[in-house]
Amino acid sequence: MHQQPTRPSAADDSRPPWAGHEPFPQARVGSSVPAAAHAHKPPTPPRAPIDLPSAEDTLRIADRSARRAGRPTTTPPTGTTPRAQHPPTARPASDLPPTHATLICVALPGLAISGEHGQLTGRALEGFYRGGRRLLARCQVRVAGREPLLVQARMTGADRARFVGTLRATPDSGPDPDVIVERIRNADGTERITLHNATLRPLRLPVEVALGTDLADLGAIAAGRAGPELPATVHDSGLRWTSADGGACVTAHPTPADALASAGLLRWELDLPPGETTTVELRVRPDAAGPLRAVGQTATSPFTPARATGDDPRVAALLQAAVDDLHALLLRDRGHPSDTYLAAGAPWRCGMAPAEALAAARMTLPLGTRLAAGTLRALARTQLTGPGAQQGLIPGPRRDAGAFLPPACTGTEATLLFPVLLAEARRWGLPERETLELLPAAERCLTWLRTTVGDGTYLPDPPQGGPIRCETQAHAHRAAVLGADLLDAHGRPGGTELRQWAETARKAFRTDFWIEDRSGGRPTAALAPGGRPLPHLGSCAVHLLDTGLLGGGLHAPGLLDKAQTQQLARLLGSPAMDAGWGLRGLGAKEAGHNPFGHRTGAVRVHETALAVAGLAAAEYEKEAANLLRGLVDAAEHFGHRLPEMFAGEQRSAGSAPLPHPAACRPAATAAASVILLLTTLAGIRPDVPAGTVTLRPVRSAPLGEIGLTGLRVADAPFAVRVSRLGLAMVEEAADDLQLGV
């Protein structure tokens, strides 16, 4: 099995090295002053600006007082330059903060990771990154010798965060702050620091920004192996740092009055008239690199500007956040810049993960087929073509499968997803020329499937002799059925053999992978070597409901019969699996259940969305609606920006979903799941080659009336509305597209 080296991630390892860390240290704030201590006086217009002390002046004043009292001093000896405090040179992994407590701005390949305190302190993950390298670790702002008191920190978009702090700058200002400090931090490497004078007097504000970096790789930082801060040099209107692997610089506008390389300080003396503002902008860049041009912020974005309206106002915010996250995670194929695909998630997985990239592209087909085409072309170039048993395989790393099963090869999943995505992209309107271009790679995937199965009934998981997983058979069966349909449509051989194998596997699966019990039975998670079933109930069973789209708005047949599907729907809707916020990865009654276990109990957003879509397609709308509403409720607690997973703790009155400390947020499959959920409500099932689109909406209308605009079917705008009665109506579509039955 070909394995690609990967860094540890929440999705790939049972115990990531950054688990068990402590929260961010609190920012230093000034002491509070009781309101009663200040008498409010009528304002008097000043004759001259107030000249406020710098940080060094403040230290010297404090040291004079300390010397009089016989206490130790803090300033260095006369004639030396004070150095900024550097973070420790080595940090154990347990000191790293949970990702849920950070504000992660993403516009790949750029990242800006901040604590909720607003200052970049150089600790843990904080800093500006490009291409996985931390260009700037510290960016600490002091005004009049003090750090502003943070009053708000929030994301204002997928790529930017806003921090607002206040200061009482004048001695007689009373309890109300008179200087407001706003910082807008952007993943493209810019930070705008804006100061507002809220007084009736002009102010002269000394402003200092302490900068520093280690130029460390994100992987080294995650493992606690970041080195010490590097010495800076004065560069242009800012500072510069270099290492054996490259360098980075920070330039400032306006040009600082003073730049102290030894202390890593930039200084300004800013004059603010009453009620006025002034701004300092910092630009962080790698050496010899220009401004960041993120793929999602260019005119070549593969997504249409989809919008949602309806009775539930949350759907608009949910869809907007999802589309923003998808744009933020876009990457270009280096050798073929016109081809784009989605990174798996930030901060840990900012690169190609084949199975996740294909799954996310499939769920975003309602936004257009360009992402699907780019993802398929990029992965077709990685396909193994040499002789041997792996010919046709799309390589992928291993992924931990929890306590019950050994790691699974995501290359198997990606290879089986490739022909499925191509077949469904064709139904949504992928041009025939591009379909034919990608068809040989899909044929090689299907040939690998038939060769690997051989004379057997099931597709084995590597290594040989290992367990036969339930979800792998679901992926293989779907690939065979949709792949056969794709081959037949283009007059290629092999479709008959694939259908015959799928039918044989279907008949055997319904016996071999089903455990009868007094409660009605359940699917087995896997067959151990020797055929012994592993009976634990987990979210892997949802893949049995994800059968794929055929022509005429029909879904492909599934591995379960009608009675078994009904029983599975009942199990997925039970309190053991439905946490009230989404679907648990492992049932609450199963041995080894851990609500934080990313394969043993946490709610995985992607699998919950697949469950909603599969249950709705099988007409088990009650169970689908409950899972859907739970996930929408959870999204509200996450600011409508869903993480890849969160704890599967049971929902109760007044509770909130618990974040997973190592989850990616944003994550491609989580953001793409929103597209799948909303289009499932409308039941959009296109068949562009046949010139039709069929609507099978969820008749119970669990979110009330909903309208979706800016979608794309047959490479043309598409809009649909579903009423409170569950009736769907097309409001915009291609002229030659007919409404199917």
Side-chain angles (χ1 to χ4, degrees):
M1 219 292 294
H2 176 79
Q3 297 186 44
Q4 293 178 337
T6 56
R7 44 116 226 106
S9 78
D12 291 344
D13 297 282
S14 58
R15 177 76 179 169
W18 49 87
H21 40 276
E22 297 179 1
F24 280 113
Q26 296 295 316
R28 295 183 309 230
V29 297
S31 59
S32 59
V33 181
H38 300 275
H40 292 280
K41 301 177 181 179
T44 303
R47 293 187 177 87
I50 300 174
D51 200 359
L52 297 175
S54 68
E56 290 182 73
D57 295 334
T58 304
L59 287 173
R60 291 191 181 98
I61 293 170
D63 285 346
R64 284 197 296 270
S65 300
R67 279 192 291 270
R68 294 190 190 104
R71 297 192 305 269
T73 62
T74 57
T75 52
T78 304
T80 64
T81 303
R83 292 186 62 85
Q85 291 185 354
H86 291 179
T89 59
R91 298 182 296 272
S94 60
D95 287 345
L96 291 176
T99 53
H100 82 273
T102 63
L103 283 74
I104 304 176
C105 306
V106 186
L108 293 183
L111 288 174
I113 304 178
S114 316
E116 294 179 326
H117 46 71
Q119 299 276 36
L120 296 182
T121 63
R123 297 176 180 173
L125 302 175
E126 295 178 14
F128 284 94
Y129 295 77
R130 187 181 293 192
R133 183 176 296 278
R134 182 157 64 180
L135 304 181
L136 185 66
R138 280 192 309 113
C139 182
Q140 296 170 286
V141 175
R142 291 187 292 268
V143 180
R146 290 181 293 147
E147 293 187 4
L149 173 66
L150 186 77
V151 295
Q152 187 183 77
R154 58 187 287 266
M155 298 292 298
T156 58
D159 62 340
R160 59 194 177 279
R162 179 176 185 256
F163 306 90
V164 178
T166 61
L167 280 171
R168 293 174 55 250
T170 55
D172 57 350
S173 62
D176 299 331
D178 43 25
V179 176
I180 301 168
V181 182
E182 177 192 65
R183 300 172 72 172
I184 303 295
R185 187 167 296 148
N186 200 298
D188 67 2
T190 60
E191 176 153 344
R192 292 176 60 86
I193 305 165
T194 300
L195 293 87
H196 174 71
N197 179 4
T199 72
L200 296 176
R201 306 175 67 184
L203 298 176
R204 179 174 297 129
L205 296 173
V207 176
E208 296 178 343
V209 180
L211 304 171
T213 190
D214 48 18
L215 293 178
D217 288 330
L218 181 58
I221 298 167
R225 298 194 304 269
E229 282 193 358
L230 300 169
T233 59
V234 176
H235 172 75
D236 196 9
S237 58
L239 300 175
R240 181 173 180 263
W241 302 264
T242 58
S243 71
D245 298 323
C249 64
V250 174
T251 57
H253 180 79
T255 301
D258 200 4
L260 301 178
S262 59
L265 283 176
L266 302 180
R267 295 173 174 166
W268 293 262
E269 293 285 340
L270 301 177
D271 291 313
L272 269 77
E276 296 296 321
T277 63
T278 189
T279 297
V280 171
E281 182 171 283
L282 305 176
R283 300 183 182 92
V284 185
R285 301 282 188 267
D287 274 355
L292 176 67
R293 297 188 62 190
V295 181
Q297 298 174 348
T298 65
T300 58
S301 167
F303 300 124
T304 57
R307 295 288 183 270
T309 58
D311 291 339
D312 191 330
R314 296 175 298 177
V315 298
L318 188 60
L319 181 57
Q320 183 63 57
V323 174
D324 284 351
D325 282 350
L326 291 170
H327 276 120
L329 291 170
L330 281 172
L331 289 173
R332 295 187 188 278
D333 189 315
R334 290 186 179 181
H336 301 79
S338 61
D339 291 337
T340 57
Y341 55 85
L342 288 169
W348 309 120
R349 309 182 72 206
C350 295
M352 166 68 86
E356 283 84 349
L358 289 164
R362 183 180 173 219
M363 291 188 287
T364 59
L365 284 172
L367 303 183
T369 61
R370 288 178 56 196
L371 177 68
T375 304
L376 290 168
R377 282 193 289 265
L379 287 174
R381 299 181 190 110
T382 72
Q383 192 174 36
L384 303 182
T385 57
Q390 294 184 354
Q391 184 180 12
L393 182 75
I394 294 174
R398 288 184 180 272
R399 177 169 56 207
D400 184 78
F404 294 97
L405 291 168
C409 175
T410 61
T412 298
E413 184 180 350
T415 305
L416 298 173
L417 266 170
F418 190 103
V420 169
L421 177 57
L422 180 59
E424 292 192 321
R426 175 174 172 265
R427 297 290 176 194
W428 281 89
L430 182 68
E432 190 67 11
R433 176 185 57 80
E434 296 184 64
T435 303
L436 289 172
E437 174 193 344
L438 290 161
L439 190 56
E443 287 183 285
R444 289 191 289 270
C445 292
L446 296 170
T447 300
W448 173 87
L449 167 61
R450 289 296 296 123
T451 302
T452 307
V453 170
D455 296 329
T457 305
Y458 302 119
L459 177 66
D461 282 280
Q464 293 293 332
I468 299 174
R469 302 168 195 262
C470 165
E471 69 267 31
T472 301
Q473 308 318 307
H475 296 323
H477 181 268
R478 181 185 59 205
V481 176
L482 270 64
D485 184 69
L486 182 66
L487 295 176
D488 288 353
H490 293 89
R492 300 294 183 94
T496 300
E497 291 79 3
L498 287 167
R499 286 195 184 88
Q500 288 174 348
W501 172 78
E503 185 177 355
T504 300
R506 200 156 53 234
K507 291 178 180 177
F509 187 93
R510 293 172 181 178
T511 301
D512 297 342
F513 276 80
W514 191 262
I515 302 172
E516 296 290 351
D517 58 30
R518 287 180 293 180
S519 66
R522 62 170 60 186
T524 180
L527 297 180
R532 178 178 59 87
L534 301 179
H536 59 274
L537 179 64
S539 60
C540 64
V542 306
H543 297 283
L544 297 171
L545 300 173
D546 179 21
T547 61
L549 185 64
L550 289 176
L554 298 177
H555 278 280
L559 282 171
L560 300 180
D561 62 27
K562 187 172 183 179
Q564 291 171 334
T565 301
Q566 183 179 23
Q567 173 65 2
L568 178 57
R570 187 186 71 79
L571 291 171
L572 295 178
S574 69
M577 288 299 295
D578 183 357
W581 305 111
L583 196 69
R584 292 186 176 92
L586 183 67
K589 296 181 179 179
E590 304 295 323
H593 170 79
N594 172 8
F596 282 95
H598 69 279
R599 297 284 169 183
T600 55
V603 172
R604 299 187 65 81
V605 172
H606 174 208
E607 288 179 335
T608 301
L610 289 179
V612 171
L615 289 166
E619 299 184 349
Y620 295 100
E621 293 192 358
K622 177 182 177 182
E623 293 81 0
N626 288 341
L627 288 171
L628 170 66
R629 283 191 288 259
L631 200 56
V632 172
D633 291 344
E636 188 173 12
H637 289 277
F638 289 108
H640 306 292
R641 190 189 208 188
L642 282 164
E644 63 175 327
M645 60 182 168
F646 51 90
E649 186 183 60
Q650 186 62 44
R651 183 176 184 175
S652 60
S655 68
L658 295 175
H660 191 288
C664 285
R665 180 167 174 260
T669 54
S673 292
V674 172
I675 314 302
L676 176 62
L677 289 171
L678 297 182
T679 52
T680 292
L681 288 175
I684 306 170
R685 302 183 185 181
D687 186 358
V688 171
T692 65
V693 60
T694 304
L695 299 180
R696 302 284 175 83
V698 177
R699 292 164 302 194
S700 60
L703 299 181
E705 182 175 317
I706 183 172
L708 300 173
T709 60
L711 305 181
R712 205 155 190 88
V713 178
D715 201 26
F718 186 84
V720 63
R721 182 167 298 277
V722 181
S723 72
R724 299 181 185 93
L725 300 176
L727 301 175
M729 180 178 66
V730 174
E731 295 186 331
E732 184 179 18
D735 292 338
D736 55 351
L737 203 60
Q738 301 297 316
L739 189 62
V741 179

